[in-house]
Amino acid sequence: MHPDGFGAAFCASMAGLCAEAAVAGTLGVLVMLAREHEGLPHGVMVIAAVLFAVALLGVLVSGFVTAVTVMPALALARRVTRRLGRRESPLWNAAAVPVVSAAAVAVFGGVMALGSLSLASPVRYLLWWASLTVALLPATLIAGVAGRRVREGRATRTARRVLRDGALAWLAVGAVGAAVYGTGLVSVYQPPRFDTEQLAGAWTDGRGGTVRLSEDGAAVADGLDNYAWDGTGKDKPKDCDGAGTWKPVKDDGKVEGVSLRIGSCDLKRQWSVSGTVKAPRLYHEIGKPGSGKRYVLTKIVKHKK
């Protein structure tokens, strides 16, 4: 422990950032459960491995963020107060956070711009700056208090207290979330269940491509994108027109998707079902496996006059 409180401030900042990440992550999971998602990991070992990896990553990231933003903010506040002959206070520490956040956004934004050879919109940089400032404020204030107590000879386990209070906040958020879902106020998202009659109809990609699925298993494509491997590591779409067939893909009696074949353009795809009953969607992944890119079709619903 350094006499200037550096070690205490660093540990307290890491504890604060970890607590923030845990609470924010839990809130994110609770919100995600009510929205369309791919599903959570299954199995005790898989869940334990994921939690361990997330916790380890959180500790490493909190240490990095503390080193490059929180400690520079404290150093800036201390230097300014010394030059002005003022006493260091939480207000000065808080005032230094937006300055350091702006510098961090400028540096990392510049690196990203060099990598992509293009600048992001000013609004995006502003959102990054505001988000980083809000995230750093609690950790910076906590670190400032920890460092000041050490310098004043009132050393306390600030990091331990932060972790304790953060754990209590995390448990409170989890309890509220469990109560909201357990009482039925909010329902966990479930993929829609369709039968052949509900899947039949016209589907569009929103860019002029359509496919019509008949209840008898016939299909007619008009301008549907057929993503074919071009040999360079990318999937490029080609218009697909013509007649073919389709059938629902079932698993344990539940419709999981649609198998579509259009012979005139060698289109053979299995589409997954997503969306909701009122707004169903069909999709299949494009690009490299795990890319997250999808080709999505939405059903054309004719409203009664």
Side-chain angles (χ1 to χ4, degrees), residues 160-225:
R160 184 181 299 175
R161 294 178 59 185
V162 172
L163 287 176
R164 180 200 64 193
D165 295 342
L168 293 175
W170 174 72
L171 290 174
V173 170
V176 172
V180 169
Y181 282 101
T183 56
L185 293 176
V186 180
S187 300
V188 177
Y189 169 81
Q190 294 292 339
R193 297 184 178 183
F194 298 119
D195 53 26
T196 302
E197 182 180 354
Q198 292 171 315
L199 288 172
W203 299 78
T204 178
D205 61 5
R207 302 191 299 272
T210 60
V211 60
R212 296 183 179 275
L213 309 179
S214 302
E215 293 185 25
D216 59 2
V220 178
D222 181 13
L224 196 68
D225 287 346

Side-chain angles (χ1 to χ4, degrees), residues 14 17-19 21-22 47-63:
M14 288 185 61
L17 290 173
C18 287
I47 295 176
V50 171
L51 291 177
F52 176 77
V54 171
L56 180 60
L57 180 63
V59 173
L60 295 176
V61 172
S62 67

Side-chain angles (χ1 to χ4, degrees), residues 191-277:
R193 297 184 178 183
F194 298 119
D195 53 26
T196 302
E197 182 180 354
Q198 292 171 315
L199 288 172
W203 299 78
T204 178
D205 61 5
R207 302 191 299 272
T210 60
V211 60
R212 296 183 179 275
L213 309 179
S214 302
E215 293 185 25
D216 59 2
V220 178
D222 181 13
L224 196 68
D225 287 346
N226 183 19
Y227 286 84
W229 192 261
D230 64 357
T232 63
K234 296 181 180 179
D235 277 337
K236 290 188 176 181
K238 295 181 180 179
D239 285 347
C240 179
D241 303 306
T245 60
W246 75 279
K247 62 179 180 180
V249 178
K250 298 182 179 180
D251 184 13
D252 293 333
K254 178 182 176 182
V255 176
E256 298 287 344
V258 169
S259 178
L260 177 64
R261 294 174 178 267
I262 306 294
S264 59
C265 49
D266 294 329
L267 187 150
K268 298 179 181 179
R269 290 284 186 180
Q270 182 167 316
W271 305 69
S272 299
V273 176
S274 66
T276 62
V277 175

